[in-house]
Amino acid sequence: KSGGEFMAKAKASEPLVILPSKHDPTKPATMIVALHPFGGTAELFADQWRDVAEEVGAILVLPRAVRPQGTGFAWGNVGESDVILTTALDKVKQKHKIDEKRVVLTGFSQGGQMAFNLGIRHPLQFTGVIPVCGAYDPSYAPIPLIATTSLPKFFIMIGGNDPDVESNRKAAADFNSASIKTELRVYPGVGHAFPPNRKE
């Protein structure tokens, strides 16, 4: 897909936005931004976070990848997902009041990998990042050497039998050594799947 064609699709991509039932448009709201997995869709992935968002009164935002993959879509490279994420956030912030101190980025599988990368790329945009079963590769988004107070907290969730568990252990070690507040939660016996009984 050519760069121009991709940019046009990325800019036209409308995120799925779900408002909590008690949403007050006059007050800045918490925002949870969730990135769907490889071959997934915003609609299907919304089910993983809908209840959590409702419970905390957050606006749930699900950006949409634009590269067709099976019955859903794939994120492409980090730069492409960055464009889609940034565009989605801009669109939401034009329509809704957002509490900039309460913006959480999450994602599952390829979406979790992008959450790692984009959380590091945009440390001032997010207060927390929750990668779930996402591969970590430091070459995609090197940890920035900036004031540690402005970096988001990372809560990393992965199954003990997930093939990416070691890369997640490395992420936790790298982040902690860089003074990024990080908690790694490994769920024994769980493979590449959303952990059951997870702490919200």
Side-chain angles (χ1 to χ4, degrees):
K1 187 174 290 192
S2 71
E5 186 189 347
F6 167 79
M7 286 299 285
K9 281 198 169 184
K11 296 286 186 189
S13 178
E14 288 292 335
L16 175 60
V17 179
I18 300 169
L19 301 178
S21 57
K22 292 181 177 153
H23 179 62
D24 182 348
T26 65
K27 293 180 181 170
T30 300
M31 178 165 63
I32 297 173
V33 184
L35 305 177
H36 63 71
F38 181 81
T41 64
E43 282 75 13
L44 285 174
F45 194 51
D47 293 339
Q48 292 286 6
W49 291 99
R50 197 186 301 268
D51 292 348
V52 179
E54 177 65 30
E55 199 176 304
V56 298
I59 295 177
L60 179 59
V61 176
L62 297 110
R64 299 176 196 272
V66 297
R67 290 191 176 277
Q69 179 64 47
T71 56
F73 297 88
W75 288 103
N77 61 37
V78 180
E80 291 181 355
S81 5
D82 198 339
V83 172
I84 293 169
L85 175 68
T86 306
T87 304
L89 293 182
D90 287 346
K91 288 181 177 182
V92 174
K93 288 176 182 179
Q94 283 167 18
K95 293 179 183 172
H96 304 284
K97 286 187 176 179
I98 302 298
D99 183 344
E100 299 288 349
K101 293 187 174 66
R102 291 188 299 164
V103 179
V104 174
L105 175 65
T106 186
F108 173 71
S109 194
Q110 191 189 29
Q113 180 183 3
M114 293 307 163
F116 267 127
N117 298 331
L118 299 171
I120 295 168
R121 271 191 169 203
H122 300 287
L124 304 178
Q125 287 257 26
F126 306 105
T127 31
V129 182
I130 309 174
V132 185
C133 299
Y136 167 69
D137 184 339
S139 66
Y140 286 129
I143 296 170
L145 297 171
I146 63 171
T148 50
T149 50
S150 59
L151 288 161
K153 294 176 186 171
F154 278 77
F155 185 79
I156 303 168
M157 299 162 64
I158 193 159
N161 298 341
D162 191 297
D164 287 311
V165 68
E166 290 311 315
S167 81
N168 279 225
R169 290 189 202 280
K170 175 170 172 49
D174 286 358
F175 292 1
N176 281 316
S177 65
S179 300
I180 300 171
K181 286 183 182 171
T182 305
E183 182 178 343
L184 170 64
R185 186 152 300 193
V186 178
Y187 295 80
V190 176
H192 190 68
F194 235 91
N197 306 320
R198 59 193 185 272
K199 184 183 97 175
E200 309 298 10

